[in-house]
């Protein structure tokens, strides 16, 4: 990989043009998942489990089939048995067999809201009436709703044949713990023995939802030639294709997935719930079938983020130097294995250079919906613990919290706790920027406090493809396969325009379907601007090498006698050509003469995704009489490597901060004793509204990532990692409390304040 | 959503006649004003009405009359229309604030004070403010015209005192005393788009020496209906509304509350916070009463 380009060399990268999809989205013209319809289309509705855990004794659909307008009903029996196997692609852990059983329950329901049957009918009303007419006999089983209950030796089992993986040998008895993992280095006993100060606490985070505004939706059409087409809102059309094919035991070549515009995903739209069901309903009815979740179904039956319990212990010398860290980390997976425990274990100590550490992780099954990825999966929970403990350590040592972190920060050459040696990272630069930021010096009033926390995410590369078609007037079309959830069309267009030496407005970007775009992994892992961007740059360079050949042919010289300079092909110094340099448009206009249309392409498995660090500052005021927290000021500082489109980098930083603040303050799934979620709507599942928060201040740090031609590193996930602890640390500073359980809702804070008064 | 018939009579007499007709025919009928609660409820099949009677074309439901006798507020007047009236806001700032808290800007253009009252939610924002102001419901029906104090109008969760064929036409608020004012506060975890965990409305008057001569205190979201709390008012009357008096009123509200624990807050939390809100609302009303001549 070539060295990163210097900032001053860019002509368009770093500018802030309007995104190509922007006007359609703000005027309502953009088509989202639920916007597609076909002639003869049926509407589907689900029957979902009223129990948190139960055996299905029988399902009787006779009366439901008799409802006028009903064309098809499916239950678990209409789906093939799927062999176990780790899910490839997507953005979270899990198993294909489990995915199939999650899509439609077989012998057991494992959470309240688990799909038991689905109906397709000529109207929504008829489908709903038929759903009410399905008779299911259940044998209720005890529900398991938290980590401690699930891990108890005599706990009721969700899966009778699940044995803990990751132990030296297969255990004798089945368990609700699907996997254990340990990561360690150095002599931890000696490390803690050397410590002058030890902080040891247990931290809890609740089940939360990504809160994307657009519910899951799809339209499926099965054909008698066994070819199916699906329109759906997803972060990964190729993932929907492979997962649906696996669940239905069909070939990927018999399925075309057309991604619609997507109204938020944040990791939650990297798996399938509706698509296999819609295809089977379409096959049985011979009609296209549309399935759209209600908001309530999204809460009850899509994939929220793991609740966690983390016991953390850190030791340091009086000078603030860390001597040892240990963590016991349990993550709820929901009803099927595959929580983000592994990345949690890998990142819990990632920001710090500590001589000895040990982290053990547990993937724990409970009777809740199977979790899905949520922005930096596993990291917000892990770093909430680490950064809360670091804050407490700073206070114990009477040391500035940024100073303490600078003393222990990983830097170039540090061996990451998760393995590799760090190179060109921005942790120190972010800390120094935070210390110098005016918001770090703002005076605080009574009941006000300031919190600091560090965020981190690995970032990934993975597979991407891109094509660039040059039009006859020298404008360009970029074809790629990543649904645009954060302004990626704009970034792709900027990178293509930069390389090709044409204006941004002359580049159109098409997010194509699975038969029109080359294979591309999910829009997730903060990978798109990095990896698909790299493919676009390489496709543009493919065009440029062709342009040089075409120009050389026109000038009747060898291709190695011309160069691409400043958006034009020029003859090398000393080469005798009596012609003006040729731009892309010049050559495109005469492409017929030189070999036909210009088409560039690239496909790659991107390596070298640099991790992104962040530092967040948060000021709050706590109402001592009601426990309510008001966020007064919030500052997100993050290393973006190179910000291709700074507005959309800032948008990621602000959006992640808002979601993290919501997680810290008010968001949580509230379950009753039977496992029924009591707040399955945005009224009582409280994501912040605009008036709750100040403008989130941002500062982009640019430490070029040597793994990308422009220095890009992923920015989409790191922003949600620091806010949980930043907010909690600010609340603790304002109140003198030491809060260890989220959310920091007013009743919880008031109870803690009253307890502290004695 | 089930299908239904819709009519919009343009006079009180026409509305009364239409409702009587529907009642005779045993048609499940629902009154529509702004519809911001009702249209959401329509999606629930069990409660779906077969006939919707829109009262917004009846002039009496849409007018705001402020005079020497007090305020007559049409039942279908929206929050936005009420907030736009500076003359009403000057006298009943607490009531206007309560109405203004309901929903977003878009909802404000539709949602009515009368609808908020008829919906009879324990957490309805205008209800404690109306009770504190001593509002009287003006009701039309087959038996003619009747009046009922607001505190007797809501009889349970989602249930009001309207008989079949009756509907709420307007709310009558008594004229304000000199040196009097009201205030309303609610507690929600979010700044807007939320439902009260607890709330308190206070109206009070002071004499020339700053001694409280009259007071009414009402609390919301801490019982099946909003409650008038005479003990809280008594704690204020005859005092200079100092810290001790306001704290005593807070304690009275806390004692009068009969909250439940649910997803929005625990019983203990609601008891504490309804006291805090009573104290803070009393202080705001006092400062308004002392600061400006009503």
């Amino acid at each position: 990989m070539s060295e990163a380009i210097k900032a001053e060399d860019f002509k368009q990268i770093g500018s802030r043009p309007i995104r190509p999809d922007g006007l359609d989205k703000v005027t309502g013209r953009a088509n989202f998942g639920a916007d597609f319809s076909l002639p003869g289309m049926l509407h589907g509705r689900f029957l979902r489990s009223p129990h948190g855990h139960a055996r299905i004794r029988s399902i009787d659909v006779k009366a439901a089939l008799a409802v006028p307008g009903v064309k098809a009903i499916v239950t678990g029996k209409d789906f093939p048995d799927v062999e176990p196997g780790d899910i490839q692609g997507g953005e979270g852990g899990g198993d294909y067999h489990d995915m199939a059983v999650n899509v439609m329950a077989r012998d057991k329901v494992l959470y309240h809201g688990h799909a038991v049957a689905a109906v397709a009918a000529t109207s929504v009303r008829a489908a709903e009436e038929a759903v009410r007419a399905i008779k299911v006999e259940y044998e209720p089983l005890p529900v398991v709703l938290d980590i401690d209950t699930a891990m108890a030796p005599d706990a009721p089992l969700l899966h009778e044949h699940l044995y803990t993986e990751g132990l030296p040998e297969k255990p004798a008895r089945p368990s609700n713990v699907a996997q254990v993992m340990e990561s360690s280095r150095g002599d931890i006993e000696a490390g803690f023995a050397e410590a002058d100060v030890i902080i040891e606490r247990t931290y809890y985070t609740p089940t939360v939802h990504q809160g994307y505004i657009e519910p899951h939706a799809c339209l499926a059409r099965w054909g008698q030639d066994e070819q199916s087409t699906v329109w759906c809102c997803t972060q990964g059309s190729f993932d929907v294709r492979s997962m649906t094919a696996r669940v239905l035991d069909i070939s990927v070549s018999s399925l075309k997935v057309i991604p619609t515009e997507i109204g938020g995903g944040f990791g939650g739209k990297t798996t399938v719930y509706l698509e296999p069901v819609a295809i089977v309903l379409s096959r049985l009815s011979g009609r296209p079938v549309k399935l759209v979740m209600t908001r309530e179904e999204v809460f009850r039956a899509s994939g929220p983020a793991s609740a966690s319990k983390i016991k953390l212990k850190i030791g340091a010398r009086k000078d603030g130097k860390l001597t040892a860290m240990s963590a016991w980390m349990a993550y709820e997976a929901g009803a099927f294995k595959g929580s983000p425990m592994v990345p949690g274990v890998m990142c819990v100590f990632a920001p710090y250079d500590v001589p000895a550490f040990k982290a053990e992780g547990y993937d724990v099954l409970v009777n809740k919906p199977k979790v899905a990825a949520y922005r930096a999966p596993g990291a917000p929970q892990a770093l909430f613990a680490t950064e809360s403990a670091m804050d407490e350590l700073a206070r114990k040592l009477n040391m500035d919290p940024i100073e303490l972190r600078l003393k222990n920060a990983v830097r170039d050459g540090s061996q990451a706790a998760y393995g590799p040696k760090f190179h060109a990272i921005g942790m120190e630069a972010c800390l120094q920027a935070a210390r110098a930021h005016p918001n770090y010096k703002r005076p605080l009033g009574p009941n006000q406090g300031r919190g600091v926390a560090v965020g981190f995410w690995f970032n990934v590369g993975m597979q991407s493809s891109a094509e660039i078609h040059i039009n006859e007037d020298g404008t360009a079309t970029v074809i790629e396969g990543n649904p645009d959830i954060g302004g990626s069309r704009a970034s792709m267009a900027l990178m293509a325009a930069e390389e090709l030496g044409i204006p941004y407005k002359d580049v159109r970007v098409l997010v194509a379907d699975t038969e029109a775009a080359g294979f591309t992994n999910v829009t997730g892992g903060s990978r798109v601007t990095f990896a698909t961007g790299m493919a676009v740059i390489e496709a543009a360079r493919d065009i440029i090498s062709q342009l040089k050949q075409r120009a050389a042919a026109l000038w009747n010289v060898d291709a190695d006698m011309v160069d691409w300079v400043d958006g034009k092909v020029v003859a090398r110094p000393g080469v005798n050509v009596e012609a003006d340099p040729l731009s892309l448009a010049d050559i495109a206009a005469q492409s017929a003469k030189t070999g036909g249309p210009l088409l560039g392409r690239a496909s790659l498995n991107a390596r070298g995704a640099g991790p992104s660090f962040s530092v967040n500052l948060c000021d709050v005021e706590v109402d001592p009489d009601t426990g309510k927290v008001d966020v007064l000021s919030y500052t997100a500082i993050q290393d973006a490597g190179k910000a291709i489109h700074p507005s959309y980098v800032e948008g990621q930083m602000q959006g992640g901060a808002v979601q993290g603040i919501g997680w810290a303050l008010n968001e949580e799934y509230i379950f009753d004793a039977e496992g029924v979620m009591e707040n399955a709507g945005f009224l009582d599942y409280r994501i912040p509204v605009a008036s709750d928060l100040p403008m989130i201040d941002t500062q982009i740090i640019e430490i070029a990532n040597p793994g990308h031609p422009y220095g890009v590193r992923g920015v989409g996930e790191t922003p949600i990692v620091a806010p949980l602890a930043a907010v909690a640390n600010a609340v603790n500073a304002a109140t003198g409390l030491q809060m260890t359980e989220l959310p920091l809702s007013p009743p919880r804070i008031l109870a803690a304040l009253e307890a502290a008064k004695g | 959503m089930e299908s239904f018939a819709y009519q919009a009579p343009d006079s009180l007499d026409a509305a009364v006649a239409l409702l009587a007709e529907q009642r005779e025919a045993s048609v499940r009928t629902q009154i529509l004003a702004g519809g911001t609660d009702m249209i959401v409820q329509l999606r629930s099949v069990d409660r779906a009405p077969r006939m919707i009677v829109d009262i917004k074309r009846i002039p009496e439901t849409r007018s705001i009359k402020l005079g020497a006798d007090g305020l007559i507020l049409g039942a279908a007047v929206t929050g936005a229309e009420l907030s736009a009236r500076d003359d009403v806001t000057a006298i009943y700032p607490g009531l206007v604030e309560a109405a203004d808290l309901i929903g977003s800007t878009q909802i404000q253009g539709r949602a009515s004070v009368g609808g908020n009252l008829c919906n009879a939610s324990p957490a309805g924002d205008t209800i404690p403010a109306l009770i504190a102001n001593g509002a009287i419901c003006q009701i039309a029906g087959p038996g003619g015209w009747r009046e009922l104090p607001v505190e007797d109008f809501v009889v349970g969760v989602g249930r009001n005192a309207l008989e079949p064929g009756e509907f709420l036409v307007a709310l009558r608020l008594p004229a304000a005393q000199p040196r009097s004012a009201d205030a309303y506060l609610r507690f929600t975890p979010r700044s807007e788009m939320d439902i009260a965990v607890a709330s308190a409305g206070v109206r009070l008057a002071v004499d020339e020496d700053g001694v409280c001569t009259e007071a009414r205190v009402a609390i919301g979201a801490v019982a099946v209906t909003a409650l008038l709390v005479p003990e809280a008012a008594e704690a204020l009357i005859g005092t200079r509304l100092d810290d001790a008096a306001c704290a005593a009123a807070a304690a009275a509200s806390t004692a009068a509350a009969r909250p439940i624990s649910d997803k929005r807050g625990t019983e203990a939390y609601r008891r504490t916070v309804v006291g805090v809100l009573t104290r803070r609302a009393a202080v705001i009303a006092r400062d308004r009463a002392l600061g400006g001549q009503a």
Side-chain angles (χ1 to χ4, degrees), chain A residues 492-521:
Chain A
M492 297 306 136
L494 274 171
M495 287 187 266
E498 179 77 33
E499 282 294 319
L500 296 172
I502 59 176
Y504 167 83
K505 67 172 177 50
D506 285 353
V507 183
R508 298 300 299 170
V509 180
L510 171 68
V511 177
D513 63 57
T514 52
E515 290 182 355
F519 182 87
T520 292
N521 282 129

Side-chain angles (χ1 to χ4, degrees), chain A residues 626 682 684 686 691-692, chain B residues 190-192 194 264 269 280:
Chain A
T626 65
F682 279 137
D684 288 305
R686 291 188 174 84
S691 57
D692 285 336
Chain B
R190 274 195 294 234
S191 54
E192 59 179 347
D194 211 335
R264 294 185 186 136
Y269 183 73
R280 291 180 178 177

Side-chain angles (χ1 to χ4, degrees), chain A residues 243-265:
Chain A
M243 291 169 180
T244 302
R246 186 73 179 248
V247 168
L248 297 180
D249 195 18
I250 58 175
S251 157
V252 294
S253 66
S254 63
L255 182 57
K256 169 161 142 177
V257 178
I258 304 176
T260 68
E261 292 298 341
I262 177 170

Side-chain angles (χ1 to χ4, degrees), chain A residues 214-229:
Chain A
E214 181 199 28
H216 296 264
C218 83
L219 167 63
R221 180 179 61 196
W222 176 87
Q224 283 167 331
D225 56 359
E226 302 284 339
Q227 296 288 313
S228 296
T229 306

Side-chain angles (χ1 to χ4, degrees), chain A residues 449-467:
Chain A
R450 175 165 301 140
V452 177
V454 166
F456 161 85
W457 186 243
F458 312 91
N459 294 331
V460 298
M462 307 205 292
Q463 301 177 87
S464 286
S465 307
E467 273 182 32

Side-chain angles (χ1 to χ4, degrees), chain A residues 172-190:
Chain A
R173 292 168 52 190
S175 162
N176 290 323
V177 179
Q179 190 192 353
V180 299
M181 176 189 172
E182 195 182 301
S183 163
S184 63
R185 185 191 301 158
D187 186 341
I188 190 152
E189 309 293 331

